[in-house]
C-alpha cells in the first residue's frame, strides 16, 4: 500500500481564494483525521470521520473551514475564504480498525498571501 | 476534554546515552497510546502503539510503557544515536486522537 496520500504538498494562494486539500486514506482503514500543525499550537485535531461520517468537528476553527468524505477512499478539507493566518501544515491520517494505529500523510502546506 | 502533556519540551544528550521521554494524560479511559517521530518538514512516523490492556511495547532500541491508572507513558531510547534526533510525540486515543506538544531531541555526536 502507498500509505496516506495528500495533495497538494505545497500551494501558494491569495487571501480570499479557496484552498482545497485532498487526502486518500489507506485502503481498509475506516477512520480518517485532519490535523493542523503550527509552531504556536502544535498538532490540533480539526475533524475526524468514521465510516465516512463526521464524528467530531469541534476542532474546526471557523465556518470558513469545511471537510467532506464522500467515500471511503477520499476526503477534502476546504478553506473559503482563505486568510494569511491559515498558512500551516495540514495533515491527514487514517486509522487501522484492527490495531488502532494511526498513519500520517506527508502533509499539505498552503501559504496564503 | 483530554489533555496530553509531554516533558521535557527539549532534550540534548551525547551519543550513546540512554534517555526517557515522558507523556501524561488527564483521562485514563483510553483505547491506546501511540508514540510518533517527526523529522523537520516531514510527516509523523509511528514508532510504537500500546493498547490499553498492555503495559509496554518494544521495538529495537525503543521501549514504551503505559500506566493507565496514573495517566502516564514513557518512551525509553537505549544507546542513543545522532540519527535519533527528531521530535517525539505521543498521542492518546479516546475516540479522538489527541497529541502532546512533543519533545525535541538532539543527540550530539
Amino acid at each position: 500500500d502507498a500509505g496516506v496520500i495528500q495533495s497538494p504538498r505545497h500551494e501558494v494562494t491569495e487571501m480570499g481564494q479557496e484552498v482545497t486539500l485532498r487526502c486518500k486514506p489507506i485502503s481498509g482503514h475506516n477512520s480518517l483525521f485532519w490535523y493542523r500543525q503550527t509552531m504556536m499550537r502544535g498538532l490540533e485535531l480539526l475533524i475526524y470521520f468514521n465510516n465516512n461520517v463526521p464524528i467530531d468537528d469541534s476542532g474546526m476553527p471557523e465556518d470558513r473551514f469545511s471537510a467532506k468524505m464522500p467515500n471511503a477512499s477520499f476526503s477534502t478539507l476546504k478553506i473559503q475564504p482563505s486568510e494569511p493566518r491559515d498558512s500551516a501544515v495540514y495533515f491527514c491520517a487514517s486509522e487501522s480498525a484492527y490495531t488502532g494505529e494511526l498513519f500520517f500523510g506527508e502533509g499539505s502546506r498552503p501559504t496564503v498571501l | 476534554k483530554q489533555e496530553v502533556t509531554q516533558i521535557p519540551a527539549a532534550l540534548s544528550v551525547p551519543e550513546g546515552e540512554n534517555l526517557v521521554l515522558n507523556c501524561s494524560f488527564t483521562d485514563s479511559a483510553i483505547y491506546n497510546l501511540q508514540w510518533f517521530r517527526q523529522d523537520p518538514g516531514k510527516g509523523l512516523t509511528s514508532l510504537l502503539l500500546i493498547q490499553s490492556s498492555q503495559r509496554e511495547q518494544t521495538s529495537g532500541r525503543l521501549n514504551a510503557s503505559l500506566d493507565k491508572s496514573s495517566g502516564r507513558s514513557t518512551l525509553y531510547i537505549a544507546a542513543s544515536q545522532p540519527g535519533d534526533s527528531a521530535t517525539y510525540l505521543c498521542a492518546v486515543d479516546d475516540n479522538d486522537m489527541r497529541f502532546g506538544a512533543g519533545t525535541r531531541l538532539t543527540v550530539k555526536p
Side-chain angles (χ1 to χ4, degrees):
Chain A
D1 200 315
V4 177
I5 299 173
Q6 290 188 247
S7 64
R9 290 292 306 277
H10 299 275
E11 181 177 3
V12 180
T13 191
E14 298 279 336
M15 183 174 67
Q17 298 297 307
E18 179 177 278
V19 172
T20 299
L21 309 178
R22 300 172 182 80
C23 176
K24 181 181 188 308
I26 292 173
S27 177
H29 287 190
N30 66 339
S31 293
L32 182 142
F33 300 77
W34 282 101
Y35 289 90
R36 178 172 67 179
Q37 188 175 41
T38 60
M39 290 291 292
M40 291 295 293
R41 302 172 69 92
L43 262 172
E44 301 174 276
L45 176 63
L46 300 178
I47 185 171
Y48 85 92
F49 296 84
N50 186 260
N51 293 322
N52 313 337
V53 176
I55 302 300
D56 184 356
D57 65 354
S58 60
M60 297 285 264
E62 300 170 35
D63 291 345
R64 299 185 297 105
F65 287 71
S66 64
K68 293 182 179 180
M69 191 165 186
N71 57 62
S73 59
F74 183 66
S75 177
T76 59
L77 178 68
K78 289 190 178 183
I79 311 171
Q80 170 63 27
S82 59
E83 298 180 4
R85 61 194 171 110
D86 300 329
S87 301
V89 184
Y90 293 81
F91 286 107
C92 174
S94 68
E95 183 183 43
S96 166
Y98 298 104
T99 65
E101 191 171 5
L102 202 60
F103 295 85
F104 277 75
E106 288 294 307
S108 290
R109 294 158 178 79
T111 301
V112 183
L113 303 176
Chain B
K1 180 178 170 181
Q2 181 79 261
E3 292 185 8
V4 184
T5 304
Q6 290 187 247
I7 53 172
L11 180 64
S12 181
V13 300
E15 182 177 4
E17 194 162 296
N18 302 326
L19 59 101
V20 174
L21 308 180
N22 297 289
C23 173
S24 61
F25 47 95
T26 54
D27 187 346
S28 62
I30 66 171
Y31 296 108
N32 62 59
L33 183 145
Q34 199 166 348
W35 283 92
F36 293 85
R37 168 186 174 136
Q38 185 176 29
D39 292 288
K42 300 290 187 181
L44 281 72
T45 301
S46 177
L47 296 174
L48 288 166
L49 171 73
I50 311 177
Q51 302 291 350
S52 62
S53 58
Q54 297 174 323
R55 300 283 291 189
E56 65 178 330
Q57 281 288 329
T58 298
S59 176
R61 294 182 294 107
L62 306 180
N63 175 275
S65 69
L66 174 64
D67 184 342
K68 252 182 42 170
S69 60
S70 67
R72 294 182 182 180
S73 175
T74 61
L75 179 66
Y76 175 82
I77 303 177
S80 59
Q81 303 171 358
D84 294 331
S85 298
T87 296
Y88 291 80
L89 299 102
C90 68
V92 172
D93 185 356
D94 59 359
N95 275 330
D96 290 350
M97 288 289 288
R98 302 283 176 184
F99 280 79
T103 294
R104 188 172 68 254
L105 173 66
T106 303
V107 181
K108 295 176 287 187

